[in-house]
């Protein structure tokens, strides 16, 4: 699959409003000040790896893209009417990145997460709708995506339904850190709610507001 595409390749997306642009710019300046302070005050005998700074920059870039994505989706989701539906139709066939929980409908789920820098090992934790752990599997530290086939820890197929996911990472000292997980689902249909808001119908049968997507990409 290809990497996440910019929204302008999916449809002609408007730029963020003045207030949104100002917020992004302000947040970025604050981030740079924090990063500079962090570099100036690090332990000279145990400096941070350059990869950690790169990870922080990449994380902020991802947040900025998400802000732009949400602004665009909120605009088209609230547009209503045939015009809004026509705009949404350009999303059919694309994959939406969504926060968990995710609905397992019998087909493998593609999950995404960023393993914390410095992790010596990482595992994907799967919990059912009651919060009970039903499975776990290794997550490669160099991979941003894994596929979960819908099996329990013993390899038994699990029933269809809603599942929660997280990544537990441990560093060399054994300290535990947890990272959130998102999932990818294909958009097979778009429609308007009774209130005129845009809805995305996913391949797993879920129906979500258009502005619930964190990112979009072409499969």
């Amino acid at each position: 699959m290809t990497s996440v595409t910019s929204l302008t390749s999916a449809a002609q997306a408007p730029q963020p409003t003045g207030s949104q642009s100002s917020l992004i710019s302000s947040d970025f300046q604050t981030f740079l000040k924090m990063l500079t302070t962090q570099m100036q005050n690090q332990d000279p005998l145990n400096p941070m790896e350059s990869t950690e700074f790169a990870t922080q920059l990449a994380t902020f870039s991802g947040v900025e893209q998400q802000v732009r994505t949400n602004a665009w989706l909120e605009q088209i989701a609230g547009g209503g009417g045939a015009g809004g539906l026509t705009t949404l139709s350009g999303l059919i066939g694309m994959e939406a990145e969504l926060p968990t929980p995710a609905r397992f409908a019998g087909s493998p789920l593609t999950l995404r997460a960023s393993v914390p820098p410095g992790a010596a090992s990482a595992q994907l934790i799967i919990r059912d709708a009651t919060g009970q752990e039903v499975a776990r599997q290794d997550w490669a530290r160099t991979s941003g995506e894994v596929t979960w086939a819908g099996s329990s820890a013993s390899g038994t197929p699990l029933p269809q339904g809603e599942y929660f996911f997280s990544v537990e990472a441990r560093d060399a000292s054994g300290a535990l850190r947890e990272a959130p997980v998102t999932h990818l689902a294909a958009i097979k249909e778009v429609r308007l709610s009774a209130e005129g808001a845009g809805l995305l119908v996913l391949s797993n049968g879920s129906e979500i507001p258009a502005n619930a997507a964190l990112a979009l990409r072409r499969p």
Side-chain angles (χ1 to χ4, degrees), residues 56-167:
Q56 293 181 40
L57 286 168
T59 299
F60 183 87
S61 177
V63 171
E64 180 184 5
Q65 179 61 41
Q66 183 175 327
V67 170
R68 294 176 183 273
T69 299
N70 289 345
W72 178 66
L73 289 172
E74 285 174 3
Q75 182 173 338
I76 63 174
L85 194 60
T86 299
T87 302
L88 284 172
S89 66
L91 304 182
I92 296 175
M94 298 190 72
E95 288 183 327
E97 181 179 358
L98 305 161
T100 57
R103 184 176 184 276
F104 172 62
S107 299
L109 294 176
T110 300
L111 307 172
R112 305 186 76 185
S114 295
V115 176
S121 64
Q123 284 195 316
L124 171 67
I125 312 301
I126 301 100
R127 296 180 173 87
D128 62 18
T130 68
Q132 179 179 353
E133 182 179 321
V134 294
R136 63 171 57 207
Q137 66 184 57
D138 290 336
W139 187 298
R141 290 171 297 159
T142 57
S143 174
E145 293 185 6
V146 301
T147 298
W148 179 60
S151 302
S152 67
S154 63
T156 304
L158 291 168
Q160 297 185 19
E162 191 173 67
Y163 290 89
F164 295 79
F165 304 88
S166 63
V167 165

